[in-house]
Amino acid sequence: MNTTELINWQTFKSKLKENPELTLQFQYAEDKWVDASYHITEIKQAPIVSVDCGGVMNTWTEIIVQLWEPSVRDSERAMQVKKALSIVELVEKSLPLNPLAIVKIEFGNSQFDTRQMYPGEFIIDNGNFIVNLSPDFTQCKAINRGGSCGTTETGEECCTPATKEEKPKIQLINFAAEGATCTPGSGCC
């Protein structure tokens, strides 16, 4: 998995701990905010085991923080970071969370299909701790490794043009003189 810019649980949690008194806000698209009445409904730990199109097994763990907007707004102000941390503490009493797991935030509402997004930039602004969310993405792990994605039944690679080298054709030449050859049943062999 390409994790060069993804945030792990340990980093995410430490950023929260640095700002307990701020209000925790999530921006899921430009000028689109998770409603202030959101709840953190659950925190999931998902071990992933996969085999990619190049035939290589991959494993990693994700921590998914699920946000929910109630149909009836029950708060004008988003929760403080310290309340989110108290939920984390409650979860971690029952489920030890992998500190190196990749963090995703799961959210959706009536205008935005539910999806998992990555915490991107953290911004502190006017008493708010803002987590800008970035869309999840698909990738070809085999190509990212510099390889190819396996082959089809005819030997063609599925993601990149196959570089097939033409094998040189070998021409057989008979150096034996006419008539001086050994044939089956002639007794010469």
Side-chain angles (χ1 to χ4, degrees), residues 34-39 68-70 72-78:
V34 175
D35 189 78
S37 65
Y38 75 86
H39 294 239
W68 171 70
E69 286 182 1
V72 177
R73 192 173 211 200
D74 60 3
S75 176
E76 292 297 316
R77 185 169 180 213

Side-chain angles (χ1 to χ4, degrees), residues 3 5-9 11-12 101-103 118-122:
T3 59
E5 296 185 32
L6 303 181
I7 295 171
N8 66 33
W9 180 247
T11 301
F12 183 76
I102 301 304
V103 176
Y118 296 110
E121 183 179 23
F122 298 108

Side-chain angles (χ1 to χ4, degrees), residues 20-176:
E21 299 302 321
L22 298 180
T23 301
L24 183 58
Q25 300 278 353
F26 294 90
Q27 182 172 242
Y28 61 89
E30 190 171 340
D31 296 322
K32 303 281 184 178
W33 300 84
V34 175
D35 189 78
S37 65
Y38 75 86
H39 294 239
I40 295 175
T41 57
E42 64 183 6
I43 298 176
K44 306 177 246 189
Q45 180 164 249
I48 309 293
V49 179
S50 72
V51 176
D52 65 36
C53 56
V56 175
M57 185 175 286
N58 300 279
T59 61
W60 69 93
T61 302
E62 296 176 353
I63 304 293
I64 302 145
V65 179
Q66 186 181 74
L67 306 179
W68 171 70
E69 286 182 1
S71 56
V72 177
R73 192 173 211 200
D74 60 3
S75 176
E76 292 297 316
R77 185 169 180 213
M79 72 174 68
Q80 284 187 301
V81 172
K82 66 183 173 186
K83 180 174 180 181
L85 285 168
S86 71
I87 295 168
V88 167
E89 186 178 309
L90 181 66
V91 168
E92 288 184 325
K93 283 181 182 176
S94 300
L95 177 65
L97 298 175
N98 180 342
L100 301 178
I102 301 304
V103 176
K104 289 186 173 178
I105 307 297
E106 185 173 73
F107 171 74
N109 60 23
S110 60
Q111 290 86 40
F112 189 76
D113 292 334
T114 301
R115 63 188 79 178
Q116 293 178 357
M117 296 167 282
Y118 296 110
E121 183 179 23
F122 298 108
I123 300 169
I124 295 174
D125 181 43
N126 199 26
N128 294 304
F129 183 78
I130 301 166
V131 180
N132 279 333
L133 301 176
S134 302
D136 197 351
F137 52 87
T138 59
Q139 60 184 314
C140 178
K141 292 173 185 70
I143 288 177
N144 288 346
R145 283 191 307 271
S148 66
C149 293
T151 56
T152 65
E153 288 180 19
T154 60
E156 296 170 340
E157 296 179 30
C158 69
C159 290
T160 58
T163 54
K164 295 187 180 189
E165 295 179 24
E166 287 290 320
K167 292 183 180 180
K169 293 185 180 183
I170 299 173
Q171 183 177 2
L172 300 176
I173 301 172
N174 185 357
F175 290 109

